Amino acid sequence: MSSTEVIEEFLSGFCRTCNGTQSVCCEYSMEDGERILEFMDCAHASCLHRGACEIYKEAVRIGRERE
């Protein structure tokens, strides 16, 4: 039985939805030497400002998002 390594990154930036600075915990798994974004502790999937969100852009830059 193999275990999946989980890597946590804490990112901070301006959140348009909250109209203030937010710290967001992002969880990544490792797959073939690449980080895969698995989870963000904000509502990024349904956020109206996702396209302009600097926190989300940084999270995706660090690891590609799982389809």
Side-chain angles (χ1 to χ4, degrees):
M1 179 184 218
S2 65
S3 63
T4 303
E5 179 183 5
V6 175
I7 300 167
E8 288 185 340
E9 294 278 348
F10 291 89
L11 304 176
S12 295
F14 182 77
C15 174
R16 289 182 182 199
T17 300
C18 298
N19 196 29
T21 302
Q22 292 292 316
S23 291
V24 177
C25 178
C26 301
E27 292 183 358
Y28 300 88
S29 64
M30 292 298 291
E31 186 176 298
D32 298 326
E34 278 190 79
R35 286 185 181 195
I36 308 296
L37 178 60
E38 297 285 353
F39 174 78
M40 290 178 70
D41 70 347
C42 65
H44 78 282
S46 61
C47 182
L48 296 173
H49 304 290
R50 178 179 171 172
C53 179
E54 294 300 321
I55 301 170
Y56 178 73
K57 288 178 185 177
E58 180 69 6
V60 171
R61 187 191 68 74
I62 291 171
R64 64 180 172 84
E65 186 176 20
R66 176 157 289 195
E67 302 292 327

